[in-house]
Amino acid sequence: MTFDKPRRLLPALLVAAALVFAAAQAWAGGVLKIAREQDSTTFDPIYTILAPDIWVFNQFYSTLVRANADATGIEPDLAETWDISPDGTVYTFHLREAKFSDGTPVLASDVVFSLLRARDDEKSVLRSMFSPIDKAEAPDDRTVVLRLKGPSAPLMSTLAMFAASILPEHAVKAEGEAFGEKPVGSGAFVLKEWKRGDSIILARNPLYWEKGLPKLDGIEWIYVPNDNTRMLKLKAGEVDAATFVPWNQIKELQADKNIQVQLDKSTRMDHILVNHAHKPLDNKLVRQALNMAIDQKAIVDVVTQGFGTPANSFFPLDGMDYNPANPNYPYDPEKAKKILEEQGVKDLTLSFALVAGDTAHDQIGVLVKDQLAKIGVTVNLNKMEGGQQWDALVNGDYDIGVMWWVNDVFDPDEKAQFCVSGDPENRSYYTNYKNPVVSDLVNKAAVEQNPEKRKQMYYEIQRIAKDDVHWIDLYYSPFRNASRSNVKGFVQNPLGRYMLETADIVN
Amino acid sequence: MGRYRFILWRPLQLVPVLLGVSLISFLLVHSIPGDPVRVLLGTRATASVIEATRAQYGLDQPLALQYLYFLKNLAAGEFGKSIIFKVGIPKLVVGRIVPTLFLLGYAILLSVVIAIGLAVLAALYRGRLPDQLVRVYSTAGLGLPAFWLGIVLIILFSIELGLFPVSGYGETPLEHLHHLFLPSLTIALALSPVLIRNLRASLLVEMEADYVKAARSRGIAEARIFRRHVFRNSLIPTITLLGVNIGWLIGGTVVVEQVFSVPGLGSLMVSSIFARDYLVVQVVTLAFALAVILTNFIVDIVTVALDPRIKL
């Protein structure tokens, strides 16, 4: 700094303040302080799909069943056991003895109420995912029977997701929309205080059913939107953990012996949407040429500083039924150029929809523009505000555009339905991609009861989608968190859930 | 008589100004592309859910109608509900005003302390090294971006020296003082150069004024002349300048609250703009406008109190 700092006037204040507050920074016991980049908006599990909301209320709601730690299968949660009828249409769940944090028992009627609310409430964001449920019944306090309209392979996965959180019927009815501020659940933690825009304080739920858990006395989520400030807070020891480590700070933090960086398996994938409704992008060979001209390795090295992996499928690396051997296009600008010539494509200009001010989008934009220039394609970087980019994609007002995806459920059905089925509502993630063979396979896989057969169907879907270039796969990347070295188990599962009931601070 | 009329009239002038501000902020925030419902429901919500939510918040109504509803509700003392947070705006805003006021007051205090100290120093050592250093600072300081300065101060005082917390607000007034020191200093370092230049210049003018020479010739001590005459008379333009800068100061808190995670109105404003939480942006803008107008009002009164010659 080039100017004279006002040292002469401040030393007294500096010293006095430091002395007075030395005591205030004493160690806070078993409360895990987490600095995160966004604040919550609501704790009502059916009115949101925002990750910052879900990651917090995951800690105080239970579901009937839950995804296991690596999100490859189901394990019991409130339901100890379950039976499925041979035709796959009747699911019977037997509940364990559990209590809500207000002391009332978790009843089968609460389960029925919660699932039907997720299916029927007109503002329930993911209600279509619950539509396979025809009837839900509670023959006694500890038995829940779900009757389906037909067999549904992803149902258990859906029942393990945040929107299927089991809420106490009496509390939801008494509070109405205010329930989202005063949540009552049966999970490992309870909400103690929500200081909007500042912090969310959770305390251990003494009534939690799993013996010996949670290990922590509480959790404090602190809202620190600035990336640098968040990492500095961790370095200074003011928080125990911090989310969303910027890629360019990972190495520096790894070098700090007081800090550990967790790069956890994830279902995150970044890709370039291609608008099939615009000529000549309706031509499969042209799309293939574009794909071959894009150097995935260069992009992943620049954007994620080498911490990501080039993607060979639209299924996530750490997700169910991902095919690691799915054939990918090699980077081959010469061949790409030749294909374009053969197809008679000259002077192609593409409008690239990007989010302004987003570092990754800036980098991808520059690299793609440069790479496609080598095959004679001009790319116009159309940088927009986030909501505007989203509108451009939804309205089909783009040629290519950057997007990303993290799975909500571990079952691949949701992603296949949304991204390649050609469903008229979202038109394959607004790309207008439609292949009847793929649509048919997606529908068949959704009801296939044999896991091995189903897997083969998804392998086939991945292969055809890649061959069709429904979009251009970019890269997979891990979730990136950092914590002080005395924190154990500050990890996310591949769906993004923080597994904090088993986390701990050791001294 | 003129003075009393002024004190009665000015609050009445508020009404058209605030109406104008409300209309402009309404039009601006609605003209930004994007949609709060999309932010809220994310990329995978179906059209029917989006429609239902939009209808719930009256966002399906024509713009003019939405504005009239907003005014009608304001007149009835109803500020409406945040679309994103799903709670009443007063509830969202009330807790946020205190940290922002605290930060503003603290920043003004530090700015004034720094500005007076350095300007007096510069004036007394006119042309010599202290003066030159202060002038370098008062020029260079004008161009310092607050977000950059904030991070530099954090690295220096929090990470290297461990004297102050990186961010946050604290629980007690003493903790507020501790937590808000660096953010206030950031604002003060950016604001004080303007004040220093102004105060130094007036000090120099006053030091050469005839009445000062007269006082000197009567053998009054130099320190007494400076304190009683030069300093006091130089302060008036600086206070006016501080009042004029209150709008700039509020803008400064918006940036600084982001960098230092201060849970104030500024960070609420930023997150609400990003989320297109229309009503919150409109209400907070009105609150800021009201603050600026009231401060200017108070500055006018203070100026009169300091110098009875000034007419309003």
Side-chain angles (χ1 to χ4, degrees), chain B:
Chain B
M1 188 61 205
R3 218 172 271 178
Y4 296 115
R5 263 185 63 184
F6 163 75
I7 290 172
L8 286 175
W9 260 113
R10 278 292 279 269
L12 281 181
Q13 292 171 357
L14 274 182
V15 177
V17 173
L18 287 180
L19 262 180
V21 169
S22 75
L23 179 63
I24 292 169
S25 66
F26 178 87
L27 291 177
L28 274 181
V29 70
H30 281 269
S31 65
I32 313 175
D35 175 353
V37 173
R38 266 235 171 84
V39 174
L40 182 69
L41 302 180
T43 54
R44 299 174 209 169
T46 58
S48 57
V49 175
I50 289 176
E51 258 167 53
T53 311
R54 206 167 266 157
Q56 186 198 0
Y57 290 97
L59 295 170
D60 53 345
Q61 305 288 325
L63 261 194
L65 214 54
Q66 286 187 44
Y67 179 64
L68 289 179
Y69 276 131
F70 172 62
L71 285 188
K72 187 181 144 234
N73 287 339
L74 271 192
E78 284 186 23
F79 294 96
K81 213 165 143 189
S82 157
I83 302 166
I84 301 295
F85 291 100
K86 303 178 181 67
V87 290
I89 291 175
K91 186 172 180 177
L92 209 54
V93 165
V94 163
R96 306 277 196 127
I97 288 178
V98 179
T100 299
L101 287 180
F102 205 112
L103 177 64
L104 271 174
Y106 204 173
I108 290 173
L109 185 76
L110 286 183
S111 307
V112 167
V113 167
I114 292 172
I116 291 179
L118 293 183
V120 168
L121 189 75
L124 292 180
Y125 289 87
R126 182 178 191 183
R128 313 223 306 263
L129 186 66
D131 185 26
Q132 279 160 5
L133 287 179
V134 170
R135 282 162 73 187
V136 166
Y137 163 61
S138 65
T139 307
L142 282 176
L144 288 177
F147 60 88
W148 176 82
L149 189 61
I151 297 286
V152 170
L153 290 178
I154 291 175
I155 292 174
L156 192 69
F157 287 103
S158 305
I159 305 295
E160 297 298 327
L161 300 175
L163 287 176
F164 294 98
V166 173
S167 74
Y169 176 58
E171 302 283 338
T172 61
L174 272 177
E175 280 182 27
H176 301 339
L177 277 178
H178 190 212
H179 277 86
L180 294 182
F181 180 74
L182 289 184
S184 308
L185 184 63
T186 306
I187 298 175
L189 287 180
L191 176 65
S192 56
V194 190
L195 302 181
I196 290 171
R197 292 161 75 97
N198 185 275
L199 184 55
R200 177 182 168 280
S202 355
L203 282 171
L204 291 177
V205 168
E206 294 293 329
M207 278 162 86
E208 299 301 322
D210 289 342
Y211 73 94
V212 172
K213 283 179 187 154
R216 258 190 216 127
S217 67
R218 273 183 278 134
I220 298 174
E222 199 62 35
R224 189 181 154 85
I225 296 175
F226 191 80
R227 234 181 20 248
R228 293 291 298 268
H229 301 288
V230 174
F231 184 64
R232 189 178 285 187
N233 286 330
S234 305
L235 220 47
I236 294 168
T238 310
I239 288 176
T240 313
L241 185 67
L242 190 61
V244 170
N245 268 293
I246 200 78
W248 179 90
L249 256 176
I250 286 176
T253 62
V254 172
V255 177
V256 166
E257 283 184 10
Q258 279 292 103
V259 174
F260 289 93
S261 307
V262 179
L265 277 187
S267 46
L268 176 66
M269 182 78 157
V270 173
S271 60
S272 303
I273 290 173
F274 273 118
R276 306 287 180 275
D277 204 341
Y278 299 135
L279 280 182
V280 179
V281 177
Q282 286 159 223
V283 172
V284 175
T285 308
L286 278 179
F288 280 153
L290 195 62
V292 171
I293 295 166
L294 285 180
T295 324
N296 286 329
F297 182 53
I298 292 166
V299 166
D300 287 347
I301 292 177
V302 170
T303 315
V304 172
L306 278 175
D307 188 346
R309 284 172 304 171
I310 293 173
K311 295 267 180 301
L312 290 164

Side-chain angles (χ1 to χ4, degrees), chain A residues 14-31:
Chain A
L14 286 171
V15 172
L19 288 177
V20 171
F21 296 102
Q25 297 192 340
W27 195 249
V31 176

Side-chain angles (χ1 to χ4, degrees), chain A residues 86-200:
Chain A
D87 67 350
T89 60
V90 183
Y91 286 60
T92 309
F93 295 90
H94 306 283
L95 305 186
R96 72 177 74 248
E97 227 167 279
K99 281 185 172 161
F100 288 111
S101 58
D102 65 359
T104 59
V106 178
L107 302 176
S109 55
D110 294 312
V111 176
V112 169
F113 166 78
S114 304
L115 298 180
L116 293 184
R117 181 170 179 262
R119 185 193 67 179
D120 297 337
D121 189 298
E122 69 162 359
K123 284 175 293 163
S124 166
V125 183
L126 294 171
R127 66 183 171 197
S128 62
M129 295 188 71
F130 294 86
S131 62
I133 300 172
D134 184 29
K135 287 196 182 77
E137 294 153 5
D140 63 61
D141 280 351
R142 303 269 289 279
T143 309
V144 176
V145 179
L146 300 183
R147 295 181 193 282
L148 309 191
K149 292 165 187 161
S152 166
L155 182 76
M156 288 302 263
S157 177
T158 303
L159 294 178
M161 80 182 298
F162 60 87
S165 294
I166 303 307
L167 318 176
E169 183 174 6
H170 61 93
V172 176
K173 286 194 167 152
E175 297 291 342
E177 209 168 324
F179 182 81
E181 288 177 79
K182 302 176 200 166
V184 177
S186 56
F189 295 90
V190 292
L191 178 66
K192 204 164 129 197
E193 197 185 355
W194 181 7
K195 293 187 240 174
R196 284 171 194 281
D198 181 29
S199 60
I200 295 168

Side-chain angles (χ1 to χ4, degrees), chain A residues 320-383:
Chain A
M320 184 177 150
D321 293 340
Y322 160 73
N323 180 7
N326 198 44
N328 203 358
Y329 295 99
Y331 172 56
D332 193 344
E334 289 309 313
K335 194 171 168 192
K337 216 169 163 178
K338 223 176 109 203
I339 296 175
L340 287 190
E341 275 163 24
E342 284 166 6
Q343 295 304 309
V345 175
K346 271 185 214 154
D347 306 324
L348 176 59
T349 301
L350 298 175
S351 160
F352 198 1
L354 300 168
V355 175
D358 182 304
T359 313
H361 283 228
D362 283 345
Q363 292 166 330
I364 293 170
V366 170
L367 288 168
V368 166
K369 184 184 173 82
D370 194 46
Q371 290 165 3
L372 291 188
K374 287 181 186 151
I375 61 165
V377 174
T378 310
V379 174
N380 289 329
L381 303 183
N382 191 4
K383 294 185 186 182

